């Protein structure tokens, strides 16, 4: 059996500083301490703790496979301990995403978001991990489509003979709990018919069609559907493999040269422009946003994140780059345009998408005051 390596990113909003804005240092410390211990004990091989706004992100590289009990329990216990720390410090919304009390083998469906891929390492294995805040799971439909199906974004689809075969997309229908796999370019229009509805259909995995090589995975949790009410945002994560018969890192990043609109800004109830930022700007401020995304690039080598001779991880903060300044400017400009519209659609989500937000309580109060119109 060839040796396999798993990349897991598991995230959770356990409580934040100054509203829903940023993960503070004491929370990072809890995660670092526990992951260091797990790595010394050989449970994981490498880890990196970072944040996307108010979400604590645990990136772990190991050999235990996807949906592994030990790895998920490790993440769950870290989130619990971090949430306790957040409560002690009276951070805001401590334990927000921990929707269940007892761990039951897998963090899926319990609040935290997960993206995982198990791979057979190629000769060289470049990986990009994305994490976004103040947005929802369907926000990665658009860039995933552009990376793996749009020849105007990914030159390799036209130029690299290893990519001419196209890619397969697994799409989850989050309302009906069903999935379908569609192949591009043949079924591109059908794929777009589904994934343009970002509030319902979510691209969860992508494979290269010629050999079923796993290329990308994103988290698909919808917290509102787990809890049956508004409990915060899904704030998704995604992993993409790059190069040598797959989109180049540059093609994976190209969809973010321009800002695009995503659901989930302020109170999970507004459209907002997604802003690619480096880790130092990974904090949500104005109107609790604008929604932000960070991207980390690294090499997986021998079951680990590649490091230097002193054991320091070699990780690139990919959006910390003036090449994304236009997208940031566009995001701010579009944020101003939307905010000028206040509570009027399309700045606010449609009634259907507001179904799981707190506006329902406001509308219920008004219910009895409605009178039938005279015939
Ligand atoms: C929540 C979030 C925020 C909050 C908003 C109101 O994940 O990102 O936009 O929805 O700050 O929060 P509350 O109701 O807790 O005051
Ligand atoms: Mg929060
Ligand atoms: Mg968040």
């Amino acid at each position: 059996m060839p040796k396999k390596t798993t990349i897991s990113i598991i995230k959770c909003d356990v409580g934040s500083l100054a509203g829903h804005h940023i993960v503070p240092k004491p929370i990072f410390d809890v995660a670092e301490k526990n992951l260091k211990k797990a790595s010394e004990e050989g449970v994981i091989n490498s880890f990196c703790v970072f944040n996307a706004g108010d979400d604590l992100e645990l990136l772990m590289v190991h050999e235990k496979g996807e949906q592994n009990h030990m790895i998920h329990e490790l993440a769950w216990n870290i989130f619990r301990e971090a949430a306790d720390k957040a409560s002690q410090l009276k951070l805001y919304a401590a334990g927000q995403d921990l929707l269940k009390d007892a761990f039951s083998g897998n963090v899926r469906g319990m609040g935290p978001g997960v993206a995982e891929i198990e791979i057979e390492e190629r000769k060289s294995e470049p990986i990009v991990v994305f994490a976004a805040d103040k947005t929802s799971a369907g926000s990665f439909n658009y860039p995933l489509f552009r990376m793996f199906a749009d020849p105007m974004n990914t030159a390799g689809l036209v130029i690299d003979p290893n990519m001419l075969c196209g890619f397969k997309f697994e799409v989850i229908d989050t309302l009906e709990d069903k999935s379908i796999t569609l192949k591009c370019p043949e079924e591109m229009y059908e794929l777009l018919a589904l994934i343009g509805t970002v509030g319902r259909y979510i691209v969860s995995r992508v494979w290269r069609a010629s050999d079923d090589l796993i290329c990308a995975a994103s988290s698909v949790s919808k917290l509102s559907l787990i809890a049956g009410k508004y409990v915060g945002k899904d704030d998704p994560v995604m992993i993409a493999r790059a190069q040598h018969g797959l989109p180049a890192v540059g093609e994976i990043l190209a969809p973010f040269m321009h800002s695009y609109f995503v659901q989930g800004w302020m109170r999970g109830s507004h459209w907002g422009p997604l802003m690619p930022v480096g880790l130092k700007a990974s904090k949500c401020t104005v109107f609790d946003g604008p929604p932000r995304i960070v991207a980390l690039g690294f090499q997986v080598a021998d079951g680990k994140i590649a490091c230097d001779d002193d054991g320091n991880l070699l990780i690139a903060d990919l959006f910390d780059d003036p090449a994304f300044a236009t997208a940031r400017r566009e995001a701010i400009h579009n944020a101003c345009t939307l905010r000028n519209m206040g509570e009027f659609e399309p700045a606010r989500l449609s009634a259907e998408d507001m179904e799981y937000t707190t506006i329902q309580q406001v509308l219920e109060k008004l219910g009895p005051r409605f009178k039938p119109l005279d015939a």
Side-chain angles (χ1 to χ4, degrees), residues 13 16 19-21 54 92-93 96 134:
D13 179 347
S16 167
H20 294 278
H21 151 227
D54 63 4
Y92 196 65
Q96 172 181 290
K134 306 299 182 258

Side-chain angles (χ1 to χ4, degrees), residues 207-226:
W207 300 269
R208 184 164 60 189
S210 58
D211 54 2
D212 284 334
L213 185 92
I214 182 74
C215 304
S218 78
S219 55
V220 286
S221 48
K222 286 193 59 105
L223 298 186
S224 54
L225 299 183
I226 300 169

Side-chain angles (χ1 to χ4, degrees), residues 253-254 256-258 276 318-329:
L253 298 178
F256 301 95
M257 275 180 83
H258 291 284
L318 294 166
F319 287 147
D320 179 20
D321 179 354
F324 298 97
T326 300
R328 292 194 268 271
R329 256 197 317 277

Side-chain angles (χ1 to χ4, degrees), residues 4 22 118 133 176 270:
K4 293 196 173 175
I22 196 168
E118 186 181 42
D133 189 32
E176 303 243 322
H270 299 84

Side-chain angles (χ1 to χ4, degrees), residues 2-8 45-46 60-66 116-122 125 127 214 241 298-305:
K3 221 171 140 197
K4 293 196 173 175
T5 304
T6 307
I7 301 135
S8 301
N45 297 341
S46 303
M60 296 172 279
V61 176
H62 56 93
E63 283 150 39
K64 299 207 156 22
E66 295 174 22
E116 295 183 293
I117 53 172
E118 186 181 42
I119 60 172
E120 252 174 62
E121 279 178 36
R122 297 172 294 163
E125 193 63 68
I127 303 280
I214 182 74
R241 281 171 101 177
F298 52 93
Q299 297 287 137
V300 166
D302 303 322
K304 297 182 180 158
I305 298 175

Side-chain angles (χ1 to χ4, degrees), residues 65-277:
E66 295 174 22
Q67 311 221 30
N68 177 269
H69 183 108
M70 272 176 95
I71 300 294
H72 282 231
E73 190 168 34
L74 172 65
W76 178 260
N77 289 340
I78 291 174
F79 295 143
R80 281 249 69 99
E81 190 180 328
D84 290 345
K85 184 78 193 169
S87 303
Q88 268 170 35
L89 296 172
K90 287 199 131 196
L91 293 180
Y92 196 65
Q96 172 181 290
D97 289 353
L98 296 169
L99 304 181
K100 309 270 156 103
D101 294 327
F103 180 72
S104 59
N106 191 314
V107 293
R108 256 176 236 276
M110 301 188 75
V114 191
E116 295 183 293
I117 53 172
E118 186 181 42
I119 60 172
E120 252 174 62
E121 279 178 36
R122 297 172 294 163
K123 196 165 155 220
S124 177
E125 193 63 68
I127 303 280
V128 182
V129 159
F130 294 90
D133 189 32
K134 306 299 182 258
T135 181
S136 52
S139 301
F140 291 149
N141 288 0
Y142 168 76
L144 279 169
F145 173 78
R146 298 219 53 200
M147 290 169 204
F148 292 99
D150 182 357
M152 305 299 271
N153 179 85
T154 297
L157 291 169
V158 180
I159 291 171
D160 183 344
N162 294 315
M163 291 169 70
L164 288 179
C165 56
F167 289 85
K168 295 196 290 194
F169 291 72
E170 180 186 62
V171 178
I172 307 284
D173 176 348
T174 54
L175 282 191
E176 303 243 322
D177 276 331
K178 287 183 189 159
S179 76
I180 182 170
T181 300
L182 295 167
K183 156 99 175 44
C184 284
E186 295 87 334
E187 296 179 299
M188 178 190 290
Y189 299 156
E190 290 87 339
L191 177 70
L192 285 171
L194 293 178
I195 67 172
T197 306
V198 292
R200 173 165 180 177
Y201 299 100
I202 300 171
V203 177
S204 56
R205 290 176 98 72
V206 180
W207 300 269
R208 184 164 60 189
S210 58
D211 54 2
D212 284 334
L213 185 92
I214 182 74
C215 304
S218 78
S219 55
V220 286
S221 48
K222 286 193 59 105
L223 298 186
S224 54
L225 299 183
I226 300 169
K229 60 173 188 212
Y230 178 70
V231 283
K233 287 185 259 314
D234 304 314
D235 298 337
V237 283
M238 165 165 82
I239 306 170
R241 281 171 101 177
Q243 307 288 157
H244 199 72
L246 300 181
V249 168
E251 289 163 337
I252 284 176
L253 298 178
F256 301 95
M257 275 180 83
H258 291 284
S259 177
Y260 62 96
F261 293 101
V262 297
Q263 295 184 321
W265 196 5
M266 180 53 86
R267 297 172 190 277
S269 307
H270 299 84
W271 286 97
L274 190 66
M275 185 155 89
V277 292

